[in-house]
Structures are given as structure tokens and as C-alpha cells.
Amino acid sequence: MTQIDEERFSRDFVEMKAVEDFRSFIGRVKKSVPFYQGKLAGIDPESIRTPDDISRLPFTNKDDLREGYPFQMLGVNMSQVQEIHATSGTSGSAVVAAYTANDLKLWGKAMARVFSRAGVGPDDVVHNAYGYGLFTGGLGMHYAALEVGAAVVPMSGGYTQRQVKMLKDLGATVICSTPSYAQHIAEAMEEMGVSRDDLRLKVGIFGAESWSQEMCRELETQLGISALDVYGLAEIIGPGVASECLAGHEGLHMAEDLFYFEVVNPDTGRPVPEGESGELVLSSLKREATPIMRYRTKDITRVLPGPCPCGRTTRRIDHIKGRADDMFTLRGVNLFPKEIESELLRIEELAPVFQLILDRNSALDVLEVHIEPKDGDVLHEHLITKVKTHLNRTLGINVMVSVKEPHSIPRSEGKAVRLVDRRKLIR
Ligand code: DLL
């Protein structure tokens, strides 16, 4: 069966199978993971008959995984583990994600679907600029290329001028990186006098961070590609949980036969009606080494209604709006960094980089927006007024604006740090 066939099952079948798979998943994790033995004590797997039954089971959150560091969440013997990844742990201890041989097959399958949705196959050369290492981006894309029979160039991040040279010399048709790093590569191309016509790129597979539609359009124009969004997280599998197809930005197809998903109200934990925004909750139904039940991702999205024109029947989620952690409130307006990115990218005089510094002035949150002019000669006063007025008109917020020297805002080689929250440092 091809990846496409697996994504065209009838909805009734997918939904019936999902509950069945969930039931056996509960039985399995209850036996194999000590953490779930405690958490699921008193719950009979056989009592799980409907999505509503699932929605009443306990959640797992990041603190549970941190407390389980390094191996308490392991559901197999170490002799069965073949690969171990970990999240960076910048805001607490790291979280370990382990894989058995079957888990690596599962990951390959999920990632092959990502590539097949993007039209990538044996004739393609994949330039992989996601970081290789403990981060799952590099190897996830690598396995996808192997699975669909494409040639892969394992660039990893960094050495940006060399990235441009290799893109050109090796005739890459596919680029994989974070969207912010792709922006940096596009900027380097311009400086090196390399145009999109010197490259053979046709598609970009971008994810691991929030990015706006404006950034997507910019990358499509700069690189001459379809820029597709891919979503995932190490705790569940890595990249491959969901991704866009070539139908034209119609949302991200969920691999819902491999990963059970729910969207819940972040305050109450109860499911939201279809189409309403909430927090994505994921269960890695088939994972052996570190299986996770009802994981609170903190990622905010919604289920898109109706079928996709591409013919796949899997449900789709909207682009991730942001992480619940990254949302801030300015005088009553709730905002995610991506919404500010959308607006800044509409201002022509600005380079496509920015940083947001969030601080607290007595009881009120204040936001300073760091921007860079595209052209060093532009009047700073003019830019400051323009950005302030634009953000006030479009988002209804008052911000401070600081114009930085060209090339002084740090460029990202992986996940960009868009928001520096100084309030957290004060607390
Ligand atoms: O970022 C896996 C990945 C690698 C996804 C390459 C796509 C491409 P983690 O490092 O565990 O895994 O970070 C997971 O990144 O909970 C989201 O907050 C964020 N994230 C991932 N993909 C997207 C996306 C990888 N497409 C965390 N849009 C997740 C927005 C994303 N945020």
C-alpha cells in the first residue's frame, strides 16, 4: 500500500480504528511504562469505547517527562533502543525521546508521507539544512529522503555561504530547513549574487517554528518554490506528525492513524468544537520506546473543516498559531509573535528579521520591537513612525521601536528566537 492509499481511508474506518488502537495502546503503556501504571491505575482499557471516553483520560505534560528524565518513561528494555534524541532543555531539564527499530520505521513512514505530500521522490536531490544531532529535524528529514528514494545532502545548519554554493552546485530540487534559516540562506544568496534562476529548487519543507503566511509568500518568491509547512515534536516522533500537501496551503494533513490527536480548551482541558482554536493534544499510539498518552503540546491550532482538494481524507490542522507559552497580552490584546511577524513583513523598507523584547514596566507589559532597515540609508525616524503606526492600526497595540544596524539582529541557523521575555527574568 502506498503512502497516498493510507491517507485515503474512509472517515468511519479511521475513527473506528483510532479508538481501537487507543484501547490497545492504553493496555500496552499500562503494562510497560511505570509512570502510566500509576496514572492509569483503576482504568480498565476495555472501558475505552468512544472518543468521549478518551477525552476523560488523564493528560501527560512536559513536567511529567522532565521528572522522568532520563529513562523513566521508557516502555522497553534498553537493549531494544536504537536511537536516542533529546530536546534542548533551555527552560528546564531536557526531555529524552527514544526509538526502537519499529519506532524508526514508524518515523520513516510518517516522514515519507510528508515528502510524498510535497511531491518528492527518487528524482529529487534534497538539501537538508536542519541540524543533525539530538534535534530531530536533521535525521527526520534524512530518513524521509531514504524512504522515498531521493538523494540527500546532509548539510546540517551553519556555514551559510557554503549552503548556497552546494544548493547551486549539486542542483538541489528540495530544501529542508527552519523557515527562518531559509530566510537567512535567501539573504546570503542575494549578497553572493546568486538568483533563484541559478538554482533548481521546486519545493521547501519548512517547520520546527511558527511562521507567518507573509514569510511563506516571501520564501516562495525568493527561492521560486512551494513553501510547505511541516509540524512535529520529539516527544511524539519528531517531524512528521502533520504537513501540508501541494494543493495550495489548505492546512496540514495529520497522520491520524499513527498519532491520535485532540484539540482542547487550554483552561478546561475539554475538547473544543471542530474549527475552534485550542491546544493540540497528541498520543503516540504506535511508539514503543517512549510512548506518550494525551500529551499537552501547548501548541495552538484548530481543525479545518471539509475535505482537502488533494483527495486525502485525513483531517487537517491550521498552521500553528504559536505556543501557549509565547502568548502575551498588551493592554488587553492577546498576541503571538507570528502576528507581529505578519505585519512587519508587509513593510517594504524592513529586512525580514526582527526581535521582540517583552518587559514589565510597573504593572504593565511593554513591547520593544527591534527591526533592521533593508537599506542602511533610510531615515530611522521615518521607520519608527511607520512601524508604530502600522502595528497600532492593524493590531491595536502601542509598541516601542528600536532600529538596529543592518545585519546586527542575530540570524537563525535553526529555531529563531523571536521573543525575549524579560518579564520571566524579573519574576
Ligand atoms: O521541532 C520537530 C521538527 C523538526 C518539526 C523539523 C518540523 C521540522 P522539537 O524540537 O521537539 O521538534 O520542537 C517541537 O516546535 O511543540 C512546536 O512548538 C514547534 N513546532 C514544530 N513544528 C512547527 C511548525 C521539532 N510547523 C515544537 N509550526 C512544537 C509551528 C512548530 N511550530
Side-chain angles (χ1 to χ4, degrees):
M1 192 179 302
T2 67
Q3 281 105 27
I4 297 247
D5 295 336
E6 285 173 343
E7 292 193 278
R8 287 174 196 259
F9 288 139
S10 79
R11 295 288 332 142
D12 285 352
F13 175 76
V14 171
E15 278 154 32
M16 186 260 305
K17 189 82 176 54
V19 177
E20 210 177 287
D21 286 350
F22 209 105
R23 195 181 314 133
S24 40
F25 170 72
I26 301 264
R28 181 163 61 81
V29 295
K30 210 177 154 180
K31 275 199 211 110
S32 60
V33 184
F35 170 78
Y36 287 120
Q37 264 161 25
K39 201 138 186 145
L40 294 170
I43 294 173
D44 175 8
E46 287 309 311
S47 66
I48 308 299
R49 297 270 149 206
T50 64
D52 189 53
D53 296 334
I54 295 174
S55 78
R56 293 175 198 285
L57 291 168
F59 291 116
T60 307
N61 59 42
K62 194 144 198 153
D63 284 341
D64 295 326
L65 305 187
R66 285 190 176 130
E67 279 161 28
Y69 179 85
F71 292 129
Q72 265 118 44
M73 298 299 290
L74 212 57
V76 294
N77 292 326
M78 191 48 98
S79 59
Q80 289 168 267
V81 172
Q82 294 233 300
E83 193 167 307
I84 302 173
H85 286 261
T87 58
S88 58
T90 40
S91 53
S93 56
V95 167
V96 166
Y99 301 76
T100 63
N102 284 336
D103 293 338
L104 292 176
K105 279 192 201 134
L106 172 71
W107 195 10
K109 181 178 188 148
M111 281 307 299
R113 288 190 196 171
V114 171
F115 272 30
S116 125
R117 290 177 203 131
V120 181
D123 295 333
D124 285 297
V125 177
V126 178
H127 180 103
N128 187 9
Y130 283 107
Y132 281 67
L134 287 182
F135 173 54
T136 51
L139 280 167
M141 299 291 149
H142 194 97
Y143 294 147
L146 299 185
E147 200 73 29
V148 302
V152 57
V153 184
M155 286 301 298
S156 203
Y159 302 101
T160 308
Q161 297 212 337
R162 191 164 62 149
Q163 301 262 354
V164 175
K165 182 170 162 39
M166 296 309 253
L167 273 169
K168 188 165 159 229
D169 294 353
L170 304 184
T173 53
V174 182
I175 178 166
C176 302
S177 73
T178 60
S180 57
Y181 192 44
Q183 245 178 352
H184 185 16
I185 292 176
E187 198 177 36
M189 278 169 55
E190 207 176 312
E191 284 159 14
M192 292 165 72
V194 174
S195 93
R196 57 183 249 182
D197 299 332
D198 298 320
L199 307 182
R200 293 183 52 219
L201 286 176
K202 60 175 195 186
V203 68
I205 301 178
F206 302 130
E209 61 187 5
S210 257
W211 51 307
S212 61
Q213 286 311 293
E214 284 67 27
M215 196 200 274
C216 173
R217 274 196 287 275
E218 204 155 287
L219 287 171
E220 292 193 326
T221 313
Q222 286 169 320
L223 299 173
I225 55 172
S226 297
L228 303 181
D229 195 2
V230 55
Y231 169 79
L233 56 166
E235 292 90 325
I236 296 301
I237 197 76
V241 173
S243 76
E244 276 183 297
C245 66
L246 285 170
H249 304 305
E250 296 281 343
L252 287 75
H253 289 273
M254 285 288 311
E256 53 181 323
D257 52 330
L258 310 179
F259 314 106
Y260 188 87
F261 84 102
E262 303 160 77
V263 180
V264 305
N265 176 318
D267 299 324
T268 63
R270 294 300 300 152
V272 297
E274 189 174 289
E276 217 170 86
S277 278
E279 179 179 347
L280 191 61
V281 170
L282 292 166
S283 303
S284 48
L285 296 182
K286 317 260 160 138
R287 187 90 177 256
E288 290 177 343
T290 41
I292 292 180
M293 181 187 75
R294 301 199 80 215
Y295 183 58
R296 299 283 301 244
T297 64
K298 302 227 167 154
D299 293 323
I300 306 296
T301 187
R302 66 193 175 109
V303 173
L304 295 174
C308 182
C310 76
R312 291 176 179 83
T313 54
T314 39
R315 278 183 301 166
R316 290 157 301 132
I317 52 166
D318 204 352
H319 303 281
I320 304 291
K321 201 165 175 191
R323 289 184 60 74
D325 292 345
D326 283 344
M327 194 185 86
F328 54 93
T329 307
L330 285 182
R331 296 188 192 231
V333 182
N334 290 340
L335 284 165
F336 286 98
K338 174 166 129 173
E339 293 169 276
I340 296 183
E341 175 185 291
S342 286
E343 297 308 330
L344 293 177
L345 288 181
R346 289 174 205 258
I347 302 177
E348 259 184 23
E349 295 98 319
L350 298 185
V353 281
F354 67 96
Q355 209 159 36
L356 306 174
I357 315 292
L358 189 60
D359 219 330
R360 181 156 293 171
N361 184 351
S362 54
L364 288 180
D365 287 347
V366 284
L367 185 71
E368 188 172 313
V369 181
H370 291 189
I371 51 166
E372 256 183 37
K374 237 184 221 150
D375 166 5
D377 291 337
V378 69
L379 272 182
H380 286 196
E381 282 313 312
H382 160 76
L383 269 189
I384 293 174
T385 312
K386 189 156 187 180
V387 171
K388 278 182 165 217
T389 317
H390 184 82
L391 292 182
N392 186 272
R393 189 170 46 78
T394 54
L395 298 174
I397 53 171
N398 288 320
V399 299
M400 293 190 295
V401 176
S402 172
V403 183
K404 302 290 170 192
E405 287 305 310
H407 296 284
S408 63
I409 296 178
R411 265 52 175 176
S412 135
E413 292 180 354
K415 296 185 190 235
V417 181
R418 298 292 198 206
L419 181 69
V420 179
D421 191 350
R422 295 221 171 112
R423 300 167 315 166
K424 288 185 183 153
L425 303 175
I426 305 168
R427 274 183 199 139

